[in-house]
């Protein structure tokens, strides 16, 4: 009978299943137990393997073990990262996401590792996925905003909002296509706008290439949304790698591009156009032959450019490019000689050194003074391949500029006029209403003011694809003074009386020559920090007060101050002299010699060798014993745990935290570091700063709107672009100089939030602030800055004239119409080190709030 034969089989399977279940349960139980034991002994790699096994066998336990699994994964990933085992790190994350495919925390964490290693496109995808899984996830939101600034740079919004620029490009392309250039290649297509202009003008074939994966995908979306997906071929590659017929079937008759930066050549337009003329474009017209059809010859838009320049005096440029002070916080800085930024176009500069930085001169704090008349530095024809090829081998051109205004030579500033064709031109000049910044070539030498009538000798060259302008000498009264941009030796002084200078030089021959002073390079932000005298002076006074208090405590306890030094730790980012100021303060003043030389044991977290060399030189020159300055990270295996006990059974007397980014945002995980720091402070010890007050105001600024998103409801040149690129809009605008920002103040400054680093019980997570409108208008943004309280009496503002910090602003996507006397409610929320601000207007008593807007305030 069938039932008789099947029933025993079913029973055997049931018994086998029971035995298998028991074995599986035993395996899972032992694996989880082993994972816990490994965690206890900090063997995270083995613990991770045990968790993988247990949760793969028993998926039902995933929710129960999720927190422990995350903890283990993150610890093991950090360990692999520190060991440089990057492939294994990402293998672990792939395994983790197979187990937890919709865990937003794990997805976001993998994105953070990708971003730190430079894989920005991939990181963006993970942050975006984490936000899709949990839209209110603050860490993912902060990370996506951070990476969005990298992936879609803010100038994309400015350019798309620059109606004049867009219209002129459209006219030039339309004229070329209607004139017979019917096959088009758009190099560096960005959003695809120039390629779409060509197609709309009637081009039969349009190709576009884009290297950035994010911008390539964005261009594909835009082109598809505008019904051109079948008529514009977008290629994800660099134009230099394109081949015929592999990537496009034949040579094109027109190349359109805007791969130019503030210095014109910095995005590689010369190299890409030479390659295009040789491999992708039809040959140019031959002037010796009958004029052929435009469809049989090639051309480029833009057709060429003219570069202009001017010598300027600008204090803001100066304080970011070279050290301008001789002493700081009680330290004599002469031991380190001259300090300059790495931005240089001198003859001995490394090829990898960028010769210029970029600034918007019209917004420079304190303005600028033109020391010469504007001059023409270069003319270039993009439709002449021989001229392009000869540019880098061209001999250095020397220009003579007459000084028309007395002043200090801080930089050469350049801009250009882009000739799209004979009729359409774009200027990037400082007086133009343009989306462009200007290129700034700092003059890395210090001397007295130039005089009217002087002649400035400037060399213009183009090598390694950069346009380089270098001030080499000044001629005065028939004498030539060479400017040592190589920063070798002491600075040269231009004496208005050459005969007196000659006598001084002859007298110097009878004395022993001075030893050339050393020179060092620091990043621009580090130099600006060193030039902030107020901040360092304030810190010196605050540190001296703390040490006096600790010394008084030691005396009251009748202890020997020399037997037990106080420990001070500086965990600032980059180069910092605060640890040295603390050590110098521990020596006491001339009137107070009761502090022993070793009263303060200062620890610095600077890592770079030349940073440590600079601090050692300064210590020696300022009488600070070598033994009192330690480099903390030299003693540590894991620099991620930089805040630790200074020694067994010892605690820190002072911990210096670097709380605010130069860009104007709160540094990531600042409050988490403060929690650790408080636990490691001795009684009477102090965290610097002890608290931070965040101030803000309501403003109307069309400039901030233009730089934050594509504005308006009308399509750009008839194309639907805004909804796609505005996905990368971020609510917080950084690196602002509020003193020069074009805006209308709609309220007085108000206190938005307080962060107390010394007293956690004084902190809160939410705050409601009512701001009264003082001037009618549209609230488009909430700029904010900080009052940094080093102690209860001493503080500095990040919105002061000598601040090295910039300001930031939350930009509202929908402006709030307000009248004088209205009240705007700001809701501020703190989560970890991220602050979000929600703005809402109250229309009247009992009215509903309208126009609610939110922005994240967090560090990149």
């Amino acid at each position: 009978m069938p039932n008789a034969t099947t029933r025993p089989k079913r029973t055997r399977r049931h018994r086998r299943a029971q035995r298998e279940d028991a074995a599986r349960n035993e395996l899972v139980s032992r694996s989880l137990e082993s994972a816990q034991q490994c965690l206890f002994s900090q063997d995270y790699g083995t613990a991770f393997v045990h968790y993988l096994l247990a949760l793969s066998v028993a998926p039902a336990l995933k929710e129960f073990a999720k927190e422990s699994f995350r903890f283990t994964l993150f610890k093991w990933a950090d360990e692999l990262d520190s060991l440089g085992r990057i492939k294994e790190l990402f293998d672990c994350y792939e395994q983790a996401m197979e187990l937890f495919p919709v865990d937003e925390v794990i997805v976001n964490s993998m994105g953070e590792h990708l971003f730190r290693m430079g894989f920005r496109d991939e990181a963006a995808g993970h942050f975006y996925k984490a936000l899709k899984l949990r839209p209110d996830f603050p860490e993912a939101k902060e990370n996506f905003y951070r990476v969005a600034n990298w992936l879609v740079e803010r100038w994309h919004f400015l350019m798309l909002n620059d109606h004049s620029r867009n219209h002129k490009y459209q006219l030039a392309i339309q004229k070329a296509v209607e004139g017979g250039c019917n096959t088009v290649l758009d190099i560096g297509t960005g959003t695809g706008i120039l390629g779409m202009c060509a197609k709309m003008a009637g081009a039969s074939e349009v190709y576009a290439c884009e290297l950035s994966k994010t911008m390539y995908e964005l261009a594909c979306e835009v082109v598809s949304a505008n019904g051109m997906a079948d008529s514009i071929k977008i290629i994800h590659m660099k134009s230099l790698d394109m081949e015929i017929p592999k990537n496009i079937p034949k040579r094109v008759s027109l190349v359109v591009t805007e791969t130019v930066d503030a210095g014109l050549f910095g995005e590689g337009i010369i190299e890409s156009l030479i390659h295009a003329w040789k491999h992708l474009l039809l040959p140019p017209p031959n002037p010796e032959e009958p004029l052929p059809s435009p469809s049989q010859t090639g051309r480029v838009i833009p057709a060429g450019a003219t570069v202009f320049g001017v010598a300027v005096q600008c204090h803001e440029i100066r304080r970011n490019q070279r050290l301008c002070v001789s002493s700081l916080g009680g330290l004599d800085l002469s031991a380190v000689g001259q300090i300059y930024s790495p931005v240089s176009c001198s003859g001995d500069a490394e090829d990898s050194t960028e010769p210029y930085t970029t600034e918007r001169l019209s917004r420079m704090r304190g303005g600028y003074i033109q020391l010469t008349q504007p001059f023409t530095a270069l003319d270039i024809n993009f439709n002449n391949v021989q001229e392009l090829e000869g540019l880098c081998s061209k001999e250095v051109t020397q220009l003579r500029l007459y000084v028309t205004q007395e002043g200090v030579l801080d930089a050469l500033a350049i801009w250009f006029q882009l000739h799209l064709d004979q009729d359409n031109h774009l200027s990037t000049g400082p007086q133009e209403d343009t989306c462009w910044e200007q290129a700034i070539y700092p003059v890395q030498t210090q001397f007295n003011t130039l005089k009217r009538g002087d002649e400035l000798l400037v060399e213009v060259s183009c090598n390694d694809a950069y346009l380089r302008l270098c001030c080499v000498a000044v001629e005065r009264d028939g004498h030539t003074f060479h400017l040592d941009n190589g920063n070798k030796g002491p600075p040269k002084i231009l004496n208005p009386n050459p005969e007196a200078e000659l006598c001084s030089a002859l007298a110097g021959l009878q004395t022993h020559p001075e030893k050339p002073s050393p020179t060092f390079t620091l990043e621009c932000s580090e130099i600006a920090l060193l030039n902030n005298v107020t901040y360092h002076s304030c810190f010196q006074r605050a540190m001296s007060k703390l040490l006096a208090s600790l010394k008084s405590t030691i005396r009251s306890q009748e202890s020997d101050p020399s037997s037990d030094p106080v420990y001070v730790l500086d965990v600032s980012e980059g180069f910092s002299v605060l640890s040295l100021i603390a050590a110098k303060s521990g020596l006491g003043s001339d009137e107070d010699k009761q502090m022993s030389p070793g009263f303060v044991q200062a620890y610095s977290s600077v890592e770079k060798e030349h940073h440590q060399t600079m601090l050692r030189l300064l210590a020696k020159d300022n009488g600070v014993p070598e033994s009192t300055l330690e480099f903390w990270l030299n003693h540590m295996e894991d620099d991620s745990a930089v805040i630790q006990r200074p020694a067994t059974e010892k605690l820190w007397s002072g911990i210096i935290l670097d709380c605010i980014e130069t860009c104007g945002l709160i540094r990531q995980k600042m409050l988490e570091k403060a929690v650790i720091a408080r636990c490691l402070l001795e009684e009477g010890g102090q965290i610097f700063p002890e608290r931070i007050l965040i101030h803000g105001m309501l403003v109307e600024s069309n400039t901030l709107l233009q730089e934050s998103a594509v504005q308006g409801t009308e399509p750009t040149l008839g194309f639907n672009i805004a909804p796609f690129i505005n996905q990368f809009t971020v609510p917080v605008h950084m690196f602002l100089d509020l003193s020069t920002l074009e805006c209308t103040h709609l309220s007085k400054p108000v206190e938005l939030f307080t962060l107390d680093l010394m007293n956690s019980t004084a902190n809160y997570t939410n705050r409601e602030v009512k701001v009264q409108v003082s001037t009618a208008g549209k609230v488009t943004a909430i700029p904010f800055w900080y009052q940094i309280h080093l102690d209860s009496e001493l503080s500095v503002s990040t919105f002061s004239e000598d601040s090295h910090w910039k300001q930031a602003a939350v930009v509202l996507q929908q402006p709030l119409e307000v009248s004088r006397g209205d009240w705007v409610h700001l809701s501020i929320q703190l989560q970890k080190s991220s602050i979000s601000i929600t703005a809402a207007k109250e229309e009247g008593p009992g009215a509903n709030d309208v126009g609610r807007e939110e922005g994240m305030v967090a560090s990149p």
Side-chain angles (χ1 to χ4, degrees):
M1 295 176 59
N3 286 342
T5 59
T6 56
R7 198 171 291 130
K9 291 181 181 179
R10 197 178 301 130
T11 302
R12 285 195 295 271
R13 280 200 300 269
H14 178 66
R15 289 172 180 169
R16 190 181 303 120
Q18 286 181 326
R19 288 196 296 268
E20 289 172 354
D21 288 343
R24 184 171 64 244
N25 292 340
E26 178 69 15
L27 176 63
V28 170
S29 177
R30 288 186 177 180
S31 294
L32 291 177
E33 184 179 344
S34 297
Q36 290 296 318
Q37 291 174 350
C38 290
L39 282 180
F40 184 76
S41 61
Q42 298 185 349
D43 182 0
Y44 302 115
T46 307
F48 179 74
V49 172
H50 283 301
Y51 271 125
L52 278 181
L53 175 60
L55 300 183
S56 298
V57 174
L61 295 175
K62 286 197 293 186
E63 192 61 32
F64 167 77
K66 181 167 63 175
E67 291 297 330
S68 296
F69 178 78
R70 283 176 179 169
F71 175 82
T72 306
L73 169 65
F74 300 157
K75 285 291 187 180
W76 180 225
D78 288 342
E79 193 171 318
L80 290 172
D81 193 359
S82 66
L83 296 171
R85 294 159 61 180
I86 306 305
K87 184 180 184 305
E88 292 176 67
L89 184 155
F90 288 124
D91 286 344
C92 288
Y93 270 101
E94 293 292 348
Q95 292 169 317
M97 286 192 292
E98 286 181 10
L99 280 177
F100 295 92
V102 293
D103 189 304
E104 73 281 1
V105 178
I106 293 176
V107 173
N108 177 71
S109 179
M110 183 172 183
E112 290 176 337
H113 282 284
L114 286 165
F115 184 76
R116 280 198 298 271
M117 295 171 191
F119 301 104
R120 295 170 185 166
D121 282 338
E122 293 81 357
H126 283 78
F127 297 148
Y128 188 70
K129 179 181 177 181
L131 270 180
K132 288 292 186 183
L133 292 170
R134 182 179 154 197
D136 64 341
F137 186 17
E139 286 86 353
K141 187 181 294 187
E142 176 187 341
N143 284 330
F144 181 71
Y145 290 159
R146 172 173 42 159
V147 81
N149 277 311
W150 286 100
L151 296 176
V152 179
E153 295 181 90
R154 302 302 93 183
W155 51 261
H156 280 286
F157 298 115
L158 274 172
M159 291 175 74
L160 290 169
N161 286 320
D162 190 337
H163 302 295
S164 175
R165 168 257 182 195
N166 298 336
H167 184 58
K168 287 179 179 179
Y169 254 103
Q170 185 182 40
L171 289 176
I173 292 171
Q174 182 176 342
K175 182 178 175 182
V177 172
E178 290 177 351
C181 297
N182 54 16
T183 56
V184 182
L185 171 63
D186 179 5
I187 294 179
T189 192
T191 59
I193 186 171
L194 300 186
M196 290 191 295
C197 283
K199 192 62 191 177
M200 179 175 281
S204 59
E205 299 176 44
V206 179
Y207 307 95
C209 63
E210 175 58 52
L211 181 60
S212 163
K213 182 182 178 184
T214 300
M215 293 307 299
Y216 161 75
E217 292 174 347
L218 180 62
C220 289
E221 286 186 274
V222 170
V223 167
S224 178
N226 286 276
M228 299 183 183
D230 296 331
S231 53
I232 298 178
K233 181 182 178 182
I234 305 178
I235 305 160
H236 179 212
M237 67 189 315
K238 199 173 185 178
S239 69
L240 296 174
D241 298 325
M242 292 177 63
E243 300 175 12
I244 291 174
K246 183 178 179 181
N247 303 116
I248 57 177
K250 59 184 180 181
R251 288 177 178 257
V252 298
S253 54
L254 176 65
V255 159
V256 295
T257 187
E258 200 177 32
T259 50
V260 291
D261 69 340
L264 187 60
F265 299 151
E267 288 191 16
I269 189 172
I270 298 299
E271 187 180 12
S272 63
L273 289 184
I274 291 174
H275 176 269
W277 277 114
K278 288 185 174 182
H279 303 284
L280 306 174
L281 259 170
L282 289 167
N286 188 339
E288 298 179 359
E289 296 180 359
L291 192 64
S293 167
S295 63
Q296 298 174 338
T297 59
R299 60 176 292 192
V300 172
I301 296 177
T306 302
V307 180
F308 303 96
V310 68
V312 299
Q313 171 183 303
C314 180
H315 179 263
E316 187 67 11
I317 292 175
R318 186 187 315 152
R319 75 190 193 103
N320 281 273
Q321 298 298 329
R322 62 176 185 257
L323 185 64
C324 303
V325 297
S326 58
S327 62
L328 197 68
L331 297 176
D332 180 358
L333 302 180
S334 59
V336 292
Q338 304 301 321
I339 297 177
Y340 301 98
S341 81
V343 183
S344 175
C345 61
S346 64
D348 59 352
E350 296 181 7
D351 289 342
S352 59
T353 301
E354 287 204 6
Y356 55 83
T357 182
T358 62
E359 299 285 356
R360 195 179 294 274
L361 283 176
S362 61
R363 291 195 204 168
M364 296 300 289
R365 185 185 306 180
Y368 66 99
I369 298 172
Q370 292 190 4
L371 303 181
T372 66
Q373 291 297 319
F375 60 89
T376 300
L378 181 74
D379 273 303
I380 183 69
N381 182 359
F382 293 145
N383 281 301
N384 187 325
V385 67
Q386 289 78 23
E387 188 174 330
L388 293 172
E389 289 181 315
L391 189 62
C392 290
S393 59
K394 184 180 178 181
E395 289 187 5
V396 174
T397 302
Q398 189 171 90
L399 304 177
R400 304 176 72 89
L401 311 179
Y402 289 92
V403 176
T404 58
Q405 174 67 50
E406 179 176 312
V408 176
L409 177 60
D410 290 314
L412 296 173
I414 73 161
W415 62 94
F416 55 86
Q417 189 175 63
L418 210 56
H419 310 301
L420 304 181
D421 58 17
Q422 291 182 341
D423 302 316
N424 294 286
H425 311 273
L426 296 175
S427 174
T428 68
Q431 306 305 322
E432 302 288 339
D433 182 15
T434 174
C435 62
W436 293 90
E437 294 182 325
Q438 290 76 51
I440 306 297
Y441 295 77
V443 176
Q444 300 287 35
T445 185
Q446 297 182 349
F447 46 81
N448 287 344
T449 57
L450 294 179
K451 305 292 184 181
R452 289 188 182 185
D454 289 348
E455 285 188 283
L456 185 62
L457 274 60
V458 175
E459 290 184 347
V460 180
S461 60
C462 182
N463 57 347
D464 61 23
Y466 280 115
L467 179 63
R468 296 179 180 271
L469 278 74
C470 186
C471 296
V472 294
V474 173
E475 288 192 358
R476 176 180 296 166
D477 299 330
H479 297 267
T480 300
F481 301 86
H482 293 280
L483 305 183
D484 188 2
N485 278 302
N487 308 329
K488 297 173 182 175
K492 296 173 176 60
I493 306 300
L494 291 186
N495 196 312
N497 186 342
E499 293 182 4
E501 178 156 343
L502 179 60
C503 292
S504 176
L506 291 172
L509 293 176
Q510 301 177 26
T511 63
H512 295 291
E514 292 185 8
K515 182 181 179 181
S517 60
T519 59
F520 292 94
T521 60
L522 292 175
E523 295 300 321
C524 296
S525 59
E526 295 170 334
I527 293 176
L529 167 60
L530 281 183
N531 283 322
N532 190 340
V533 175
T534 303
Y535 172 61
H536 289 88
S537 176
C538 191
F539 173 79
Q540 179 197 18
R541 297 198 301 273
M543 177 56 68
S544 296
K545 285 172 60 179
L546 172 64
L547 296 179
S549 172
L550 293 172
K551 184 180 67 174
S552 176
T553 301
I554 292 173
R555 284 177 181 165
S556 67
Q557 296 173 350
E558 298 182 353
S559 302
D560 179 6
S562 64
S563 63
D564 193 13
V566 299
Y567 293 88
V568 176
L569 172 65
D570 178 12
V571 290
S572 300
E573 298 285 335
F575 182 71
S576 167
V577 296
L578 297 182
S579 59
L580 196 55
I581 292 176
K584 179 75 181 294
S585 300
L587 299 179
S589 62
D590 292 336
E591 296 79 19
D592 181 11
K593 288 298 183 182
Q594 299 185 35
M595 291 185 186
S596 65
F599 180 68
V600 172
Q601 190 72 31
Y603 290 80
S604 170
S605 60
V606 300
E607 297 181 78
K608 295 180 180 178
E609 186 174 338
H610 75 284
H611 288 175
Q612 296 184 3
T613 299
M614 292 171 69
L615 287 181
R616 289 192 182 100
L617 285 172
L618 288 173
K620 182 178 180 180
D621 199 55
N622 283 273
V624 176
E626 184 178 353
S627 60
T628 63
L629 180 63
E630 295 279 350
F631 297 104
W632 187 228
L633 294 181
N634 291 353
H635 304 290
M636 300 173 58
E637 294 182 1
D638 182 9
D639 60 5
S640 64
V642 65
I643 306 178
Q644 300 179 1
R645 287 175 177 267
T648 306
E649 303 302 324
K650 300 293 183 181
L651 293 172
W652 298 107
S653 301
I655 298 178
I656 305 161
L657 297 181
D658 192 3
C659 299
I660 308 299
E661 293 270 10
T662 305
C663 66
L665 300 185
I666 299 171
R667 195 172 291 281
Q668 276 193 316
K669 299 184 179 179
M670 182 266 293
L671 288 180
E672 291 85 335
K673 288 183 179 178
V675 170
I676 299 172
R678 284 196 300 269
C679 296
L680 296 175
L681 278 182
E682 69 171 341
E683 185 176 353
Q686 187 173 326
I687 296 173
F688 297 97
E690 68 171 26
R691 61 194 170 96
I692 299 171
L693 269 60
I694 305 175
H695 296 276
M697 65 168 60
L698 309 179
V699 303
E700 178 177 354
S701 174
N702 186 59
T703 299
L704 286 179
L705 292 179
Q706 295 286 321
E707 294 178 359
S708 301
V710 177
Q711 299 298 311
T713 57
E714 293 296 320
T716 306
L717 297 182
F719 303 121
N720 188 21
I721 298 176
F724 303 96
I725 194 168
N726 282 352
Q727 294 178 83
F728 293 89
T729 296
V730 296
V732 179
H733 195 98
M734 304 172 289
F735 288 106
L736 288 179
D737 192 331
L738 193 51
S739 66
T740 60
L741 176 69
E742 294 181 13
C743 67
T744 302
H745 294 184
L746 303 183
S747 75
K748 294 180 179 179
V750 296
E751 181 184 320
L752 300 179
F753 212 79
T754 299
L755 304 175
D756 197 316
L757 306 187
M758 284 292 291
N759 183 7
S760 60
T761 60
N763 284 322
Y764 40 82
T765 57
N766 299 277
R767 187 165 189 250
E768 299 291 324
V769 178
K770 289 181 64 176
V771 186
Q772 189 168 30
V773 176
S774 58
T775 303
K778 292 181 180 180
V779 180
T780 58
I782 307 164
F784 56 91
W785 61 94
Y786 310 92
Q787 193 73 26
I788 302 175
H789 290 261
L790 296 170
D791 61 20
S792 58
E793 299 174 340
L794 296 166
S795 69
V796 293
S797 172
T798 65
F799 185 24
S800 62
E801 186 175 340
D802 59 351
S803 171
H804 67 281
W805 292 286
K806 297 295 186 182
Q807 295 82 54
V810 171
V811 181
L812 308 184
Q813 293 184 7
Q814 297 296 327
L816 303 179
E817 291 268 7
V818 293
S819 301
R820 183 177 180 182
D822 285 349
W823 289 92
V824 173
H825 291 264
L826 300 180
S827 297
I828 303 104
Q829 184 176 20
L830 176 71
Q831 190 164 22
K832 295 189 175 180
S833 294
S834 298
I835 296 177
S836 63
I837 299 177
T838 299
K841 188 184 71 170
E842 185 181 79
E843 295 289 357
N848 294 325
D849 287 344
V850 297
R852 185 168 293 275
E853 289 290 337
E854 181 179 3
M856 296 289 294
V857 182
S859 170

